[in-house]
């Protein structure tokens, strides 16, 4: 196990290194740089002013030197200066991480809390009215675009309650924060919950037809025990995989939700930074997302072992 | 008799109460406004967008200012701000300001004539490189006639011009001309600026919020009324509008409410106060006159004649936009041609048949027809306000045998692309920071300007621009301005489709808002705005 973990850790480092090269190169392949954009935003294209900005930001230095400077800084915990705000990138990024993390965490929580039980119910009550109803709900969750759903929620809230659940002021208490984030989290989580529900259902249906389930039933185990102790545990393996993948994809869903609900999180900030070609912000944020994805994958692999004792990672 | 006296006394007291603003206006409160996007920086001198002017103008003062109580900015409505008075020398080449001596920067340091010199030295490229208070200068051309700024004393400063230029004072009165401080670096001015204005900046959180608080040491006693101005950056327009309807914001971003949206606002918030006014932003055509086939003036003329301005107006503005040349027409505009004059210009007549027939005849003469159309791309910024008119344009061009395709350009490389002349026909929006002939002509049509995107060159027009710029008689100058406008239309320099009109709304408790009707970039000090609650 120890050797496996070491191998896994080295592989993670290699993946992150590959990601860093990819991010760095791809960003520079996109047409236009920050100097173009800053000058364009002012409606002018003065080559002298542009050259001055390029020089100030060090964009005229050799590309390898720029890469070395960035990675060296990352190792030291120095993320550089944001080009647009001219403030340390860490100061710009750090306050936004907890907001997005909480939102993503709550969305994931929603998707699991709704998706897994309803998936089980749907499978156990296969081809009943309840099953059909839950399948329609899950299908709508997959087919409704997040931005549309988010706008509908806002409109309904203004129309019926005369209030709008957007993030306009920093919440003063934990409860207020939960209240503020729960609606957008539910909007983001709705799609994931639909996916989790459908996968749980199909996985449960498959497991419920296995011999050992019949054995459990014949031994006199209760229906609840069969469903939850024997079937669900084994049906969860593919569900855990999809939850891991969804956790990575959540960032994409957050962009829309953070924009519509006006949440000052990482995802919206990343899009803005890409539009401005604010390399220090984009590079560091994408690296952070890559790190989260790699970590989630690692945790999913560990969860396999916990769920199925037959799975062992050999040294 | 006693009753009579009581009535007189009562009436007098009521009259005093009504006449004296101090009794009516209330101090305090937070004004909450939605902002449409992330301002590129807080440095007004370095930017060219209302996204910067509207939130940050309240931090600064100018030497002189367009009277904020007047809706129309005009040269005769300029009032002192940091300057107490001004005088011209007899040759009208030296403009001397007597400055206020009771003004302090937000950090407590005294304001002096050196700050004025420092600001305009930077704008004309003579600034202290170490201080580097201005990194880019989009309005360089405004001050091309300014030769030197000299300090007489702490309270006296003189601007020396190369030749007489009556508009120079108007330029100094524009929202784009605040006085910067000598002791604050450019980097700080872009992120947390120091000014002398009615509000101090507390926070500028990118993509999130801008917070301004009352300057307790403001030199104008009793102002501002508000304690706080809280801007929330809300990039999604639907969220902004719903937020306003739900009472989350007291005011919309300037000109943010289109006419279709106005109906929604009025339905959801019937007590909202909404005002439509020209934004002094015009929609226009960019034609690459250096590259075939539009190096042919006949083809450019056909293109200009094909424009059905009324159709653009009806579709995009429900008929509220203004037909104009490059300057805003009266009554909102000071310099533009009247409706009657415009109707005599090529392509502007109400009857569309004649110009369209002429355009078709030109195209036929050049060998184009329905079966053999001219194929091209219409480039435009990939933003709805640019794309929508471009689509209408493409439809109209079909009538003169032009088969066009939309080429949406990422907004970040738009100006670089047109500067490189990497387009055939483009659709553009031009906002005028100031309703003034000099700023418009020198910025957009003079052969030496960086912002003359089509590289239009006409020595005769250059000469007329210089001539009108030096003309002191307002009426004579207007005639020269109209002559230039006529030539620009005839040359198809940058055919204007129309001048846009949009709405700004606020809650009825917000008082003292006076929108400037010929520039969205001016009048945002917020020092006279108060909350009635």
């Amino acid at each position: 196990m120890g050797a496996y973990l070491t191998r896994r850790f080295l592989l993670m480092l290699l993946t992150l290194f590959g990601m860093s090269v990819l991010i760095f190169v791809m960003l520079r392949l996109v047409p236009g740089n920050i100097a173009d954009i800053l000058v364009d935003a002012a409606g002018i294209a003065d080559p002298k002013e542009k050259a001055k900005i390029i020089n100030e930001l060090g964009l005229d230095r050799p590309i390898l030197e720029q890469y070395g400077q960035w990675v060296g800084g990352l190792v030291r915990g120095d993320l550089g200066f944001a080009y647009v705000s001219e403030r340390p990138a860490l100061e710009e990024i750090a306050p936004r991480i907890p907001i997005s993390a909480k939102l993503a965490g709550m969305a994931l929580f929603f998707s699991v809390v709704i998706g897994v039980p309803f998936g089980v119910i749907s499978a156990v009550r296969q081809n009943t009215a309840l099953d059909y109803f839950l399948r329609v709900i899950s299908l709508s969750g997959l087919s409704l675009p997040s931005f549309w759903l988010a706008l509908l929620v806002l409109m309904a809230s203004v129309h019926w309650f005369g209030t709008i659940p957007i993030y306009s002021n920093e919440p003063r208490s934990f409860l207020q924060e939960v209240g503020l984030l729960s609606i957008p989290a539910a909007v983001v989580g709705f799609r994931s919950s639909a996916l989790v529900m459908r996968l749980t259902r199909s996985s449960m249906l498959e497991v419920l037809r296995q011999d050992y389930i019949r054995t459990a039933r014949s031994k006199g185990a209760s229906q609840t025990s069969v469903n939850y102790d024997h079937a669900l545990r084994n049906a969860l393996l593919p569900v855990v995989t999809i939850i891991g993948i969804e956790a990575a994809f959540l960032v994409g869903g957050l962009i829309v939700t953070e924009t519509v609900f006006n949440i000052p999180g990482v995802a919206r900030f990343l899009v803005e930074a890409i539009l401005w070609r604010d390399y220090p912000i984009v590079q560091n944020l994408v690296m952070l997302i890559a790190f989260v994805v790699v970590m989630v994958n690692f945790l999913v692999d560990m969860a396999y072992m916990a769920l199925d004792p037959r799975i062992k990672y050999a040294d | 008799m006693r009753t009579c006296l009581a009535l007189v006394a009562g009436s007098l007291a009521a009259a005093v109460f009504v006449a004296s603003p101090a009794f009516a206006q209330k101090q305090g409160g937070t004004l909450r406004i939605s902002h449409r996007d992330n301002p590129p920086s807080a440095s007004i001198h370095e930017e060219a967008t209302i996204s910067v002017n509207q939130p940050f103008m309240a931090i600064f003062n100018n030497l002189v200012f367009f009277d904020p109580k007047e809706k129309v900015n005009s040269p005769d409505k300029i009032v002192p701000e940091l300057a107490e008075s001004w005088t011209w020398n007899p040759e009208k080449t030296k403009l001397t300001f007597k400055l206020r001596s009771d003004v302090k920067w937000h950090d407590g340091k005294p304001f002096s004539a050196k700050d004025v010199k420092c600001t305009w030295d930077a704008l004309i490229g003579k600034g202290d490189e170490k201080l580097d208070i201005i990194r880019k200068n989009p309005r360089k051309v405004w001050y091309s006639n300014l030769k030197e700024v000299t300090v007489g004393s702490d309270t006296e400063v003189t601007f020396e011009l190369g030749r007489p230029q009556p508009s120079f004072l108007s330029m100094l009165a524009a929202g784009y001309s605040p006085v910067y401080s000598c002791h604050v670096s450019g980097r700080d001015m872009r992120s947390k600026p120091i000014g002398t204005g009615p509000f101090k900046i507390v926070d500028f959180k990118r993509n999130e919020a801008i917070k301004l608080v009352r300057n307790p040491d403001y030199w104008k006693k009793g102002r501002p009324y508000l304690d706080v101005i809280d801007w929330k950056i809300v990039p999604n327009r639907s969220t902004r509008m719903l937020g306003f309807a739900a009472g989350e914001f007291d005011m919309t971003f300037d000109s943010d409410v289109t006419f279709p949206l106005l109906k929604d606002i009025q339905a959801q918030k019937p007590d909202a106060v909404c005002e439509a006014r020209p934004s002094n932003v015009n929609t226009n055509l960019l034609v690459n006159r250096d590259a075939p086939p539009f190096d042919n003036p006949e083809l450019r003329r056909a293109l200009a004649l094909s424009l059905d301005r009324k159709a653009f107006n009806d579709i995009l503005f429900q008929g509220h936009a203004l037909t104009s040349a490059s300057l805003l027409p009266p009554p909102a505009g000071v310099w533009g041609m009247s409706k009657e004059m415009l109707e005599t210009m090529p392509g502007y007549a109400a009857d569309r048949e004649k110009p369209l027939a002429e355009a078709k005849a030109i195209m036929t003469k050049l060998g184009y027809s329905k079966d053999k159309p001219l194929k091209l791309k219409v480039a435009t910024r990939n933003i709805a306000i640019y794309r929508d008119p471009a689509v209408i344009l493409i439809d109209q061009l079909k009538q003169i045998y032009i088969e066009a395709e939309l080429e949406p350009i990422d907004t970040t490389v738009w100006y670089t692309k047109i500067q490189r002349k990497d387009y055939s026909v483009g659709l553009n929006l031009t906002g005028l920071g100031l309703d003034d002939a000099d700023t418009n002509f020198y910025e957009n049509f003079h052969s030496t300007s960086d912002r003359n995107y089509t590289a239009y060159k006409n020595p005769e027009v250059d000469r007329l621009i210089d001539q009108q710029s030096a003309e002191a008689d307002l009426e004579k100058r207007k005639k020269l301005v109209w002559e230039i406008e006529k030539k620009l239309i005839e040359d198809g320099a940058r055919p204007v489709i129309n001048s846009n009109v949009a709405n700004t709304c606020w809650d009825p408790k917000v008082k003292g808002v006076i929108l400037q009707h010929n520039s969205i970039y001016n009048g945002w000090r917020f020092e006279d705005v108060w909350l009635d609650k």
Side-chain angles (χ1 to χ4, degrees):
Chain A
M1 184 68 180
Y4 169 78
L5 285 178
T6 312
R7 256 202 332 268
R8 192 67 204 255
F9 178 73
L10 289 174
L11 195 66
M12 271 164 61
L13 282 185
L14 198 66
T15 309
L16 290 173
F17 168 72
M19 281 299 298
S20 72
V21 175
L22 208 64
I23 295 162
F24 190 85
V25 172
M26 281 176 75
L27 255 180
R28 276 145 187 90
L29 287 178
V30 178
N33 62 28
I34 179 77
D36 287 328
I37 293 158
L38 283 175
V39 174
D40 265 28
I44 49 167
D46 185 328
K48 271 190 215 158
E49 288 177 350
K50 209 183 273 188
K52 196 177 156 199
I53 295 170
I54 287 174
N55 179 265
E56 264 178 33
L57 299 175
L59 295 170
D60 51 355
R61 287 188 213 140
I63 204 92
L64 273 177
E65 189 186 325
Q66 288 182 49
Y67 176 75
Q69 201 175 11
W70 171 48
V71 174
L74 261 184
V75 173
R76 291 192 308 273
D78 172 13
L79 306 188
F81 268 74
Y83 289 163
V84 183
S85 67
E86 300 174 79
R87 290 174 59 195
L90 189 62
E91 275 180 29
E92 291 277 8
I93 294 171
R96 292 171 161 93
I97 294 174
I99 300 172
S100 288
K102 284 174 200 164
L103 182 61
M106 283 174 78
L108 211 57
F109 176 76
F110 269 111
S111 67
V112 175
V113 162
I114 295 170
V116 174
F118 283 139
V120 173
I121 294 168
S122 194
V124 173
R125 304 274 178 92
Q126 193 190 6
N127 296 334
T128 62
L130 183 62
D131 178 33
Y132 287 126
F133 174 72
L134 290 174
R135 280 158 71 185
V136 168
I137 296 286
S138 69
L139 260 181
S140 56
L142 288 174
S143 49
L144 296 180
S146 293
F147 74 91
W148 184 77
L149 187 63
L151 276 177
L152 274 193
V153 169
L154 288 189
M155 279 190 234
S157 175
V158 172
H159 185 75
W160 283 315
F161 307 112
T163 180
I164 186 165
I166 58 170
Y167 195 106
S168 57
N169 286 305
E170 215 169 296
R172 283 184 293 272
S173 66
F174 175 72
L175 270 183
Q176 201 188 3
E177 187 168 20
V178 171
L180 203 62
L181 293 180
S182 58
I183 297 173
V187 169
V188 182
F190 185 42
R191 199 199 76 88
S192 310
S193 71
L195 200 65
V196 171
M197 194 195 299
R198 290 185 72 79
L199 202 73
T200 308
R201 182 182 179 275
S202 60
S203 186
M204 274 293 283
L205 284 175
E206 201 182 317
V207 172
L208 284 171
R209 290 184 190 115
Q210 299 288 322
D211 291 344
Y212 68 88
I213 297 292
R214 202 178 307 121
T215 310
R217 282 200 183 114
S218 62
K219 278 167 68 184
S222 68
Q223 189 61 37
T224 314
S225 170
V226 169
N227 290 343
Y228 290 95
D229 295 342
H230 296 272
L232 181 60
R233 191 164 171 159
N234 288 302
L236 273 182
L237 275 181
V239 179
V240 167
T241 311
I242 206 74
I243 290 170
I245 294 169
E246 275 299 292
F249 272 105
L250 261 180
V251 178
L254 290 187
I255 290 167
V256 172
T257 315
E258 284 186 358
T259 305
V260 177
F261 286 94
N262 206 42
I263 298 166
V266 163
R268 198 177 108 190
F269 188 54
L270 176 62
V271 173
E272 175 89 6
I274 292 170
L275 290 176
W276 283 91
R277 312 288 190 272
D278 200 339
Y279 299 155
I281 298 287
V282 180
Q283 286 166 180
N284 291 312
L285 271 181
V286 178
M287 273 309 283
L288 176 75
I289 293 166
F291 177 74
V292 170
V293 172
V294 168
M295 280 311 290
V296 166
N297 271 324
F298 176 69
L299 292 175
V300 166
D301 286 354
M302 293 297 111
Y304 285 161
M305 269 200 306
L307 286 168
D308 188 347
R310 290 171 300 174
I311 297 175
K312 291 272 184 288
Y313 295 116
D315 279 350
Chain B
M1 183 65 184
R2 194 178 289 171
T3 319
C4 221
L5 275 175
L7 274 175
V8 170
S11 309
L12 276 174
V16 169
F17 185 80
V18 170
S20 165
F23 283 100
Q25 284 109 352
K26 291 174 186 165
Q27 194 87 38
T30 299
L31 179 68
R32 301 159 308 157
I33 316 180
S34 58
H35 196 297
R36 66 177 183 179
D37 59 6
N38 203 23
S41 81
S43 177
I44 291 176
H45 277 300
E46 294 193 51
E47 308 299 345
T49 165
I50 178 71
S51 296
V52 172
N53 274 43
Q54 206 190 350
F56 297 114
M57 252 182 81
I59 294 169
F60 298 100
N61 287 123
N62 287 22
L63 286 171
V64 288
F65 203 47
F66 286 111
D67 189 345
K69 293 183 180 66
E70 298 284 344
K71 285 183 181 254
V72 174
N73 300 161
S74 67
D76 57 333
K77 302 276 167 52
I78 293 172
V79 292
E81 211 176 20
L82 290 178
E84 284 179 329
S85 61
W86 62 88
T87 50
W88 286 97
N89 69 347
E91 294 78 30
K92 302 276 183 195
T93 51
K94 285 187 182 176
L95 176 59
T96 302
F97 291 97
K98 170 95 179 68
L99 307 178
R100 300 185 67 92
S101 55
D102 56 347
V103 179
K104 280 183 182 166
W105 294 99
H106 292 161
D107 57 5
K109 294 200 169 130
F111 157 77
S112 80
K114 281 180 197 148
D115 294 305
V116 179
K117 176 175 170 55
C118 183
T119 305
W120 271 270
D121 275 355
L123 289 169
I124 59 174
K126 290 184 175 176
D128 180 352
E129 290 214 350
K130 277 183 208 156
L131 198 57
D132 199 19
I133 60 171
I134 288 165
R135 185 165 68 170
K136 55 193 163 82
N137 182 5
R139 284 167 294 283
K140 202 182 291 173
V141 72
W142 282 27
Y143 302 110
S144 54
N145 185 35
L146 175 61
K147 298 301 165 207
E148 199 162 12
V149 181
T150 51
V151 172
S153 68
D154 275 357
T155 56
E156 191 188 289
V157 66
T158 300
F159 288 74
E160 293 180 23
L161 308 181
R163 58 164 173 77
Q165 188 181 13
S167 276
F168 191 78
L169 195 64
S170 295
M171 292 179 203
L172 296 181
Y176 274 127
S177 305
V179 179
Y180 274 15
S181 139
C182 270
H183 64 276
V184 183
S185 72
R187 175 180 278 194
D188 288 339
M189 291 307 278
R190 289 188 283 274
S191 56
K192 206 170 181 186
I194 297 279
T196 56
F199 291 90
K200 294 180 179 189
I201 191 162
V202 175
D203 214 351
F204 172 20
K205 281 189 193 161
R206 301 197 64 76
N207 233 339
E208 195 177 337
I210 300 158
K211 189 172 184 179
L212 310 181
V213 294
R214 184 174 191 270
N215 174 10
D217 301 321
Y218 191 42
W219 53 271
K220 203 183 268 188
K221 298 300 165 208
R223 299 287 197 288
Y225 297 115
L226 299 167
D227 284 340
V228 178
I229 306 179
D230 203 357
W231 295 85
K232 294 290 178 210
I233 297 167
V234 186
N236 187 290
R237 189 186 253 179
S238 306
T239 310
R240 290 200 297 275
M241 295 302 133
L242 286 167
F244 176 69
E248 192 73 28
F249 306 116
D250 302 314
M251 194 174 180
T252 65
F253 189 76
D254 186 39
S255 301
D256 204 15
V257 186
T258 59
F259 284 94
L261 279 176
L262 183 64
K263 285 183 184 159
D264 292 344
I265 293 278
Q266 284 167 340
Q268 289 167 334
K269 191 175 169 64
D271 63 341
V273 181
C274 293
E275 188 173 324
R277 53 93 184 248
S279 54
N280 212 348
V281 174
N282 65 59
T283 308
N284 53 70
L285 276 193
L286 301 175
V287 182
N288 187 348
R289 52 203 307 126
D290 293 339
F294 290 104
D295 54 345
N296 181 344
E298 281 289 282
L299 191 54
R300 294 201 297 267
R301 183 176 164 80
L303 203 64
L305 288 172
S306 74
L307 297 174
D308 182 353
R309 292 177 171 83
K310 188 175 179 307
F312 278 97
N313 191 1
D314 288 345
I315 298 167
L316 298 172
F317 298 94
Q318 299 183 349
H320 293 277
L322 304 174
T323 303
S324 75
S326 71
L327 285 156
L328 196 67
V334 175
W335 299 96
M337 288 189 278
S338 66
K339 195 180 168 200
E340 293 72 29
M341 289 169 78
L342 278 169
E343 278 180 357
T344 64
M345 298 290 140
Y348 278 83
D351 171 26
R352 291 290 314 135
E353 277 180 29
K354 205 176 150 195
L356 201 58
E358 192 187 334
K360 277 183 182 172
I362 293 171
M363 294 301 285
T364 310
K365 195 178 98 186
L366 294 173
Y368 299 107
S369 65
K370 208 171 183 178
D371 301 325
K372 198 189 154 204
L374 168 62
K375 292 188 177 176
L376 55 86
K377 285 183 177 172
V378 173
T380 196
R381 275 171 99 162
N382 196 8
I383 309 177
I385 50 170
Y386 283 69
R387 274 193 320 260
D388 295 348
V391 170
I392 299 171
L393 173 72
I394 287 169
D395 186 56
Q396 292 188 1
L397 291 179
K398 281 181 195 153
Q399 297 177 86
I400 59 163
Y401 318 129
I402 295 178
E403 204 176 287
E405 187 189 326
L406 183 70
E407 188 188 10
I409 308 296
D410 187 65
T411 191
T412 52
V413 287
W414 168 243
Y415 288 113
T416 310
K417 186 178 170 79
I418 55 174
Q419 189 88 7
R420 275 204 315 258
K421 296 279 170 50
D422 183 14
Y423 71 98
S424 176
V425 172
L427 190 129
N428 190 42
L429 262 66
T430 302
L432 298 185
L434 176 63
D435 182 25
D436 177 77
D438 269 19
T439 53
N440 174 41
F441 291 149
Y442 281 114
E443 254 184 68
N444 300 312
F445 301 104
H446 198 274
S447 58
T448 57
S449 171
D450 288 340
R451 298 180 79 172
N452 177 355
Y453 298 131
T454 56
Y456 168 72
K457 280 189 186 75
N458 184 335
E460 172 63 4
V461 167
D462 280 358
R463 187 189 64 75
L464 282 169
I465 291 174
D466 289 340
Q467 193 184 335
Q468 68 76 32
S469 174
E471 179 57 62
D473 184 302
L474 194 70
E475 289 312 310
K476 277 188 193 167
R477 191 173 164 205
K478 274 188 182 172
K479 282 186 183 146
L480 285 168
V481 167
W482 297 334
E483 196 182 332
I484 295 166
E485 287 274 63
K486 191 177 171 212
K487 281 193 186 302
L488 294 175
I489 292 171
E490 285 169 353
D491 288 352
R494 198 191 286 193
V496 172
I497 296 172
N498 47 36
S499 277
N500 303 347
V501 175
N503 302 277
T504 308
C505 297
W506 55 92
D507 190 277
K509 70 172 177 281
V510 182
K511 307 286 183 191
V513 177
I514 297 175
L515 300 179
Q516 318 268 285
H517 276 226
N518 51 348
S519 178
I520 50 171
Y521 305 94
N522 296 338
W524 294 112
R525 285 277 187 265
F526 285 100
E527 61 186 26
D528 296 315
V529 175
W530 56 284
L531 294 175
D532 187 16
K533 61 174 184 181

